[in-house]
Amino acid sequence: MTAWTNDELTRIEHAEELRMAPSRSDGTPRTPVPIWVVRDGEDLYVRSFRGSAGAWYRTARASHEGRIRSGGVDKDVTLIEVSDPAVNDRIDTAYRTKYGRYGASYVDPMVASRDTTLKLVPH
């Protein structure tokens, strides 16, 4: 399994957004959408602002593959669903810390969408 380099983690961690292009069932990429990304240790995570109804999330959940671009990093990734409550607690904190300046109307839906947490694993 490939891991993120420290440089990639730092660049993505400090980027404001990540562009996610999940793969469709035929392998073609969906149009990229900007989403928020957070780091926890040596891992990167995303969630769907619109919960499980989010179009990009539904595509990502079906294929578990996609391509990301953020902070000058462009990578194919595997998308792994995360249900561990302890990990999700840390992701909640990471969203509040990184994006809290946008206010509760933006951050609260991200924290409430714990069931859409996806770990990004580079290829």
Side-chain angles (χ1 to χ4, degrees):
M1 179 179 288
T2 304
W4 295 106
T5 66
N6 194 44
D7 179 59
E8 291 170 333
L9 286 168
T10 300
R11 291 165 67 180
I12 294 171
E13 174 185 25
H14 294 294
E16 190 62 24
E17 295 177 325
L18 173 146
R19 296 193 68 80
M20 166 67 72
S23 299
R24 297 182 179 106
S25 60
D26 66 1
T28 60
R30 189 179 183 283
T31 301
V33 294
I35 58 175
W36 287 353
V37 58
V38 295
R39 178 179 177 177
D40 179 49
E42 302 302 310
D43 297 313
L44 297 167
Y45 297 91
V46 296
R47 287 181 178 165
S48 171
F49 180 82
R50 299 184 190 284
S52 59
W56 77 263
Y57 176 75
R58 287 183 280 127
T59 302
R61 189 162 182 232
S63 68
H64 292 99
E65 296 293 330
R67 185 159 190 89
I68 62 100
R69 178 175 290 170
S70 180
V73 177
D74 196 355
K75 287 265 186 182
D76 289 324
V77 293
T78 297
L79 307 164
I80 299 173
E81 295 174 47
V82 177
S83 59
D84 184 319
V87 172
N88 272 302
D89 286 348
R90 293 194 307 270
I91 303 306
D92 290 351
T93 299
Y95 272 110
R96 288 186 178 108
T97 300
K98 183 174 180 180
Y99 297 107
R101 67 185 180 283
Y102 291 104
S105 62
Y106 290 98
V107 176
D108 287 355
M110 296 304 287
V111 173
S113 295
R114 293 169 64 113
D115 60 334
T116 67
T117 302
L118 296 172
K119 179 179 173 180
L120 307 176
V121 179
H123 292 191

